Amino acid sequence: MFTKFYPTISAIFLWSFTEHTNQLMCIWLLPTRRMQITTFLKSNLCERILASKNVSREFRFAMNINASEVVFDIKPEFSNEKIMLQGAIDCVFEEKDNLIVVDYKTDKIISSETLKKQYAQQLELYARALRECTGKNVKEKVLYSFYTGTQIFL
């Protein structure tokens, strides 16, 4: 069965998971992305994803949260108002009954610290949504930067 990989990376490669083989198949590599994709395919993260028996891409969720968790200049009288947060997690896979959240980034940012600051809250909300939806522990939250070819653990 073939499953398209969304978003940004959708035009770049296709995942192929079958009972007999776990292969990541590349199609239509854009010249500017060829090295980035090759680096990812050789990464420990890619190996871990392919080794997992339970992988979900574009895991969609919805959960109620306090408005103050995502709106920083909110008036105090509205801070405890509930809002519906909806999202899609790029990749979630399971290792030893724990979940690993992966968020792919194509930002042209070299600093790991900058990426951590920009996306820490997003990944924390993803982890929270997964715990609420699945009841499973989230062991790791990982940003994968295609620009630098690095894994950033939060």
Side-chain angles (χ1 to χ4, degrees), residues 8 11-12 24 28 35 48 53 63 71 74 76-77 81 86-88 95 117 130-131 133 139 145 147 149-151:
T8 307
I12 300 170
L24 191 57
W28 188 43
M35 186 58 93
R48 291 172 65 195
K53 292 182 179 176
M63 68 178 180
V71 181
I74 195 166
E77 62 267 24
E81 290 293 318
Q86 297 178 337
E95 278 183 343
K117 285 179 189 175
L130 279 169
R131 283 189 297 270
C133 291
K139 181 175 82 171
S145 169
Y147 189 69
T150 57
Q151 300 173 60

Side-chain angles (χ1 to χ4, degrees), residues 15-29:
W15 287 94
S16 169
F17 290 100
T18 67
E19 292 178 329
H20 305 291
T21 61
N22 284 339
Q23 296 179 29
L24 191 57
M25 304 188 63
C26 287
I27 59 166
W28 188 43
L29 292 179

Side-chain angles (χ1 to χ4, degrees), residues 28-131:
W28 188 43
L29 292 179
L30 302 173
T32 57
R33 299 279 184 188
R34 187 169 286 127
M35 186 58 93
Q36 294 170 341
I37 299 301
T38 301
T39 300
F40 173 73
L41 294 174
K42 293 178 180 178
S43 73
N44 173 263
L45 180 61
C46 184
E47 288 177 20
R48 291 172 65 195
I49 293 168
L50 292 172
S52 177
K53 292 182 179 176
N54 190 6
V55 179
S56 180
R57 290 160 308 281
E58 288 297 307
F59 181 93
R60 300 201 183 283
F61 68 89
M63 68 178 180
N64 287 318
I65 62 172
N66 288 334
S68 60
E69 293 182 65
V70 291
V71 181
F72 301 109
D73 58 350
I74 195 166
K75 293 181 180 178
E77 62 267 24
F78 300 116
S79 64
N80 290 324
E81 290 293 318
K82 296 290 185 190
I83 62 171
M84 175 68 70
L85 178 69
Q86 297 178 337
I89 303 169
D90 289 342
C91 182
V92 178
F93 66 98
E94 196 167 347
E95 278 183 343
K96 300 178 184 173
D97 295 326
N98 290 298
L99 299 177
I100 291 79
V101 176
V102 181
D103 196 40
Y104 300 105
K105 297 299 176 194
T106 56
D107 306 48
K108 291 182 178 180
I109 297 173
I110 294 173
S111 167
S112 294
E113 288 305 312
T114 301
L115 285 170
K116 280 183 182 182
K117 285 179 189 175
Q118 284 185 348
Y119 296 107
Q121 181 189 20
Q122 177 186 346
L123 265 70
E124 187 52 47
L125 288 168
Y126 285 177
R128 183 169 145 197
L130 279 169
R131 283 189 297 270

